[in-house]
Amino acid sequence: MQAQELKSSFTKRYIIAISLIALLSSGAYYVLNLALKASDSTALVVNISGKQRMLSQRIASYSQQYYLRVYAKGTHSDSEAIRVKLLAAINEMALANRALSSGNLKEGIRVELSPAIHSLYYGDTLLKARVEEYLVLARHLSSEQSQHEAINLLGQILELSDPLLNDLNTAVIQYQKEGEENISAINHLESMVWLVTLMTLLLEVIFIFQPMANKIKELFQEVMWEQENLEQQISMRTMSLEHSNLKLMQLASHDPLTGLKNRLNMERDLEELILQYEKNHLPYAVLMLDIDWFKKINDNYGHDAGDFVLCEISKIMLESVRVQDSVYRAGGEEFVIIFNRITREQAIEKAESIRLGVQNHLFIFSDEEVQCTISGGLYHPDILKSSSVQGVLKLADNALYEAKHSGRNTIVEAIYKKVEQKE
């Protein structure tokens, strides 16, 4: 009878203990899934908002280029190509604006707009309406207009561009801040789950396993084995959560294909260098690079070949820079290299060395040689000063544009040019 009672007591206690572990395991699994989803939505919304900010500047740049090619003196055969690029940027920014202002990022992924973000888009800032107004002006400019109407539209676009960029940048910072806060809250929740698990195990040992071990000596080893097994599971789950956190941090700050730092890191690092230059006059340079005819590589050899070329060029750049320099993938086939504490002459020499390194490199994919070169725009503050991240990137991008339209496979330095308007 006593053995039967002990067996019944053991069974009840054991069921209670296992049920608690199952409940805690389910909670830990839920927290992990919540962390992964939060990271995915955070990375996506920051990426879309950052892209929208970039597109606003690209639209302003294309609008200027289109006006000059259509209405300035001389014939420009590439005006239609600029118009196509302008319309593509307008459409892409319109999609991003709808996604961010509604919270419907893409199919299956929706985020609730925080009060701060909702205020930006629909409050006093009226960011959604201003973006739509900005895009309407750009669309009108791309259609047939008199020169008087065109210059008026261009003036309105440029007048709206900088204030709009500041508010779009505010949105990017707010999205990043909210994402970091969400992930931090989930990390705290993970710690709480871990502590509750430990406390529950401690209570199980005191009130369940230890009394039974005193009464049933022959089950002592089995009870101890169960306890060690549970502790091992907790340790493994803790290690898994830590590994997932590290992986999430890596995904949020680096490009998954090449392993290079992403655009968010680039803008933060560049802002610090600009500040150091203004305070201590520490020289730096920004090299913006683009793969020539990259679309043809994808069309002729496939997207796997394109990914291969992106990775190979990333390796070439990493091997060519110094320890204090940084390489970033800005998006698509565009890369940025920031040279820290470098003279203008050294920057030109480095940029040319990287260009030649790509030109002379053998890109062998599936037993086929892929021809590949790069073009670049080089900015150095000793030649042309800008106190903002966007200003520096725009100057480097303009120089890159000149390199593209001067034959490609070349490096063009950003210098001041005076543009004469058509009378």
Side-chain angles (χ1 to χ4, degrees):
M1 181 62 71
Q2 186 177 8
Q4 187 66 29
E5 291 177 356
L6 288 174
K7 180 180 179 181
S8 177
S9 175
F10 175 86
T11 302
K12 291 178 181 178
R13 292 169 184 261
Y14 187 75
I15 290 174
I16 292 173
I18 293 300
S19 297
L20 289 173
I21 293 300
L23 182 62
L24 292 171
S25 298
S26 299
Y29 177 76
Y30 171 78
V31 170
L32 178 59
N33 278 342
L34 191 64
L36 292 173
K37 289 179 181 178
S39 175
D40 288 344
S41 60
T42 296
L44 182 58
V45 75
V46 170
N47 182 56
I48 293 175
S49 60
K51 190 174 185 179
Q52 181 179 231
R53 177 180 58 189
M54 176 270 294
L55 287 170
S56 71
Q57 291 302 287
R58 186 167 292 179
I59 287 171
S61 176
Y62 285 155
S63 297
Q64 289 179 291
Q65 295 171 29
Y66 179 72
Y67 174 82
L68 292 175
R69 278 159 175 73
V70 173
Y71 301 102
K73 294 180 180 180
T75 301
H76 299 277
S77 60
D78 63 343
S79 63
E80 182 59 26
I82 297 298
R83 179 177 177 273
V84 170
K85 292 181 179 180
L86 174 58
L87 288 174
I90 291 171
N91 292 333
E92 197 171 355
M93 188 172 180
L95 290 174
N97 188 44
R98 284 198 294 271
L100 293 172
S101 61
S102 66
N104 295 315
L105 303 184
K106 65 178 183 178
E107 185 176 357
I109 298 182
R110 172 175 173 76
V111 296
E112 293 296 328
L113 300 184
S114 68
I117 293 298
H118 189 276
S119 177
L120 274 173
Y121 279 98
Y122 299 101
D124 295 337
T125 308
L126 289 174
L127 184 57
K128 179 178 183 293
R130 288 167 56 207
V131 170
E132 292 172 350
E133 178 188 2
Y134 187 73
L135 298 179
V136 167
L137 291 173
R139 285 188 190 277
H140 286 171
L141 179 65
S142 68
S143 61
E144 292 294 332
Q145 304 283 346
S146 67
Q147 183 175 1
H148 176 73
E149 293 172 335
I151 191 63
N152 185 42
L153 287 169
L154 179 59
Q156 293 181 64
I157 291 171
L158 296 179
E159 183 179 355
L160 292 175
S161 178
D162 285 343
L164 183 61
L165 176 63
N166 289 334
D167 289 335
L168 290 174
N169 187 60
T170 300
V172 173
I173 295 173
Q174 182 63 28
Y175 278 125
Q176 186 174 7
K177 177 184 176 182
E178 291 177 2
E180 291 173 351
E181 289 174 352
N182 289 338
I183 293 176
S184 177
I186 292 172
N187 287 338
H188 288 311
L189 184 57
E190 290 174 351
S191 299
M192 289 180 61
V193 170
W194 182 72
L195 288 173
V196 170
T197 301
L198 288 181
M199 290 298 297
T200 302
L201 288 174
L202 180 60
L203 293 174
E204 288 179 353
V205 170
I206 295 173
F207 296 105
I208 297 177
F209 295 110
Q210 191 61 44
M212 288 192 300
N214 294 333
K215 294 180 180 181
I216 311 173
K217 293 182 180 180
E218 61 269 22
L219 296 178
F220 178 77
Q221 291 298 325
E222 183 179 347
V223 172
M224 292 300 296
W225 176 85
E226 184 68 23
Q227 179 183 344
E228 292 174 0
N229 183 50
L230 291 172
E231 291 176 350
Q232 185 178 9
Q233 289 181 23
I234 294 170
S235 177
M236 292 177 62
R237 189 170 299 279
T238 302
M239 291 175 61
S240 177
L241 290 173
E242 291 175 351
H243 176 73
S244 297
N245 287 336
L246 290 175
K247 186 176 180 180
L248 291 173
M249 293 176 63
Q250 178 74 9
L251 289 173
S253 60
H254 288 75
D255 173 52
L257 176 63
T258 62
L260 299 177
K261 295 179 180 178
N262 60 21
R263 190 177 185 90
L264 292 177
N265 282 314
M266 176 190 72
E267 293 181 356
R268 184 168 56 248
D269 296 345
L270 181 54
E271 184 176 12
E272 178 63 24
L273 287 182
I274 292 173
L275 181 63
Q276 290 300 321
Y277 179 80
E278 293 178 347
K279 285 185 175 181
N280 306 312
H281 205 70
L282 297 178
Y284 68 96
V286 176
L287 176 61
M288 186 173 290
L289 298 169
D290 191 273
I291 302 175
D292 297 328
W293 308 114
F294 185 69
K295 185 178 184 299
K296 289 185 178 180
I297 295 175
N298 283 329
D299 292 342
N300 294 337
Y301 303 97
H303 288 280
D304 287 343
D307 290 346
F308 166 76
V309 169
L310 289 171
C311 292
E312 286 293 294
I313 289 179
S314 298
K315 293 176 183 177
I316 294 172
M317 290 188 292
L318 287 173
E319 293 171 355
S320 302
V321 299
R322 306 164 303 170
V323 175
Q324 64 266 38
D325 303 329
S326 298
V327 183
Y328 311 83
R329 185 182 178 192
E333 66 272 25
E334 188 175 284
F335 298 87
V336 172
I337 300 177
I338 297 179
F339 299 105
N340 188 13
R341 301 194 180 192
I342 193 169
T343 65
R344 176 196 175 198
E345 291 75 16
Q346 291 171 333
I348 294 173
E349 182 180 349
K350 270 289 182 184
E352 184 64 17
S353 172
I354 292 171
R355 183 192 67 80
L356 289 174
V358 174
Q359 175 183 300
N360 297 330
H361 184 75
L362 289 177
F363 294 87
I364 305 298
F365 181 79
S366 296
D367 298 327
E368 290 189 71
E369 182 176 347
V370 180
Q371 298 295 328
C372 185
T373 59
I374 57 174
S375 300
L378 180 64
Y379 168 85
H380 196 285
D382 286 354
I383 299 301
L384 196 59
K385 291 182 174 61
S386 178
S387 60
S388 71
V389 171
Q390 290 74 26
V392 169
L393 295 178
K394 183 176 180 181
L395 290 170
D397 187 57
N398 290 341
L400 172 59
Y401 177 83
E402 292 296 329
K404 285 286 188 181
H405 288 266
S406 62
R408 290 180 168 81
N409 192 22
T410 187
I411 304 295
V412 172
E413 188 177 10
I415 58 175
Y416 175 75
K417 290 185 177 181
K418 182 178 180 182
V419 178
E420 296 184 359
Q421 294 186 353
K422 187 176 180 181
E423 295 293 336

